[in-house]
Amino acid sequence: MAENTLRDKVAVIGGGAKNLGGLLSRTFAESGAKVVVHHHSSENDAQETVKAIQDAGGQAVAVQGDLTKVADVRRLFDTAVDTYGGVDIAVNTTGMVLRKPILETTEEEYDLMFGINAKAGYFFIQEAGRRLNDHGKIISIGTSLLAAFTDGYSTYAGGKAPLEHFTRAAAKEFADRYISVNTVAPGPMDTPFFYPQETPERAEFHASQAMGNQLTHIEDIVPVITFLATEGWWFTGQTLFPNGGYTTR
Ligand SMILES: NC(=O)c1ccc[n+]([C@@H]2O[C@H](COP(=O)([O-])OP(=O)(O)OC[C@H]3O[C@@H](n4cnc5c(N)ncnc54)[C@H](OP(=O)(O)O)[C@@H]3O)[C@@H](O)[C@H]2O)c1
């Protein structure tokens, strides 16, 4: 029976420098995981996260990469294997949001949104499937908008939607190695990612749809991801909606 804890496991965190990914990197390290902290443009945050982990006695390394480029996805996993000898857990928190009517969306915006939300998500799962040790865990971050009927988020929710199907297929294809594959789809989260797309009134409305009239907090999501990466290994092929009741299906 495999030990489903974080102790001495190697975790690759896509977008692991700040916000949700940053808290995840620190939390995994506190539980004894060696963490590969990926970042794209947030180099200072990545250095800060790695330093905080090391100062607390943990192990971490930062890796830059544009995960819309398959070569960069591969290099990220190469670094994990070269540095720590293997990979056990891969969490992809990367994403990009755009709230714009379909009639105004450009080809460039479509390609950008699907590049990071869908293509990067696919090749992250592919490379994780190639490189993870048996009993590994792969977790992608979706959005609770996948369970909503709303305007404006065609390329964001639409770009994240394929993650569910990539997850299902990968869960079947990697099952013979006991690798669990899931998507976590949080409600609108109280991070700088969310606010620029919304008016204060709409932000208030989003909050009003969850228990206690509040947005989702990254502290609510990290335990869900941690559970899937440990004792929750029996979940596979699923999309979970931790969102205080904001949307469901
Ligand atoms: N905040 C919300 O309302 C909300 C709600 C539900 C789901 N989510 C999802 O939760 C995840 C984390 O979001 P967050 O709120 O914590 O915001 P965030 O920190 O801004 O997360 C976005 C991440 O995507 C990375 N990224 C963007 N383009 C990239 C590229 N080309 N290559 C590699 N990485 C790239 C960013 O890296 P750099 O900063 O290094 O560029 C950043 O780490 C995202 O997938 C988001 O879609 C967010």
Side-chain angles (χ1 to χ4, degrees), residues 33-106:
K34 299 164 192 164
V35 184
V36 179
V37 177
H38 159 266
H39 66 97
H40 178 229
S41 59
S42 301
E43 183 171 359
N44 289 345
D45 293 296
Q47 296 305 343
E48 213 175 279
T49 298
V50 166
K51 186 172 182 314
I53 290 171
Q54 291 171 344
D55 288 351
Q59 293 187 59
V61 62
V63 183
Q64 194 279 335
D66 176 352
L67 298 190
T68 65
K69 297 186 172 134
V70 178
D72 282 20
V73 177
R74 295 196 175 137
R75 190 169 45 76
L76 172 62
F77 283 85
D78 284 345
T79 305
V81 173
D82 294 347
T83 311
Y84 298 122
V87 195
D88 303 289
I89 299 161
V91 185
N92 177 19
T93 79
T94 65
M96 186 176 283
V97 64
L98 176 69
R99 180 165 187 270
K100 201 166 188 187
I102 291 172
L103 295 183
E104 294 171 22
T105 300
T106 66

Side-chain angles (χ1 to χ4, degrees), residues 14-22 38-43 45-46 64-69 72 92-97 112 115-117 120 140-145 153 156 160 163 184-195 215-216 218 221 242:
K18 66 189 203 317
N19 300 326
L20 177 63
H38 159 266
H39 66 97
H40 178 229
S41 59
S42 301
E43 183 171 359
D45 293 296
Q64 194 279 335
D66 176 352
L67 298 190
T68 65
K69 297 186 172 134
D72 282 20
N92 177 19
T93 79
T94 65
M96 186 176 283
V97 64
L112 191 64
I116 186 61
N117 291 311
S140 304
I141 306 303
T143 164
S144 282
L145 291 172
Y153 284 116
Y156 176 54
K160 289 276 192 186
L163 290 177
V184 171
M189 282 191 301
D190 189 12
T191 74
F193 183 94
F194 169 70
Y195 293 100
L215 294 173
T216 295
I218 57 175
I221 302 305

Side-chain angles (χ1 to χ4, degrees), residues 161-217:
L163 290 177
E164 285 200 77
H165 297 277
F166 302 159
T167 291
R168 289 194 186 107
K172 284 287 183 202
E173 293 177 25
F174 307 158
D176 58 343
R177 288 186 286 134
Y178 290 87
I179 292 175
S180 310
V181 190
N182 292 289
T183 295
V184 171
M189 282 191 301
D190 189 12
T191 74
F193 183 94
F194 169 70
Y195 293 100
Q197 306 300 318
E198 294 288 2
T199 61
E201 295 73 30
R202 280 184 55 99
E204 210 173 294
F205 173 74
H206 285 297
S208 74
Q209 298 304 292
M211 267 190 288
N213 201 24
Q214 58 185 326
L215 294 173
T216 295
H217 296 106

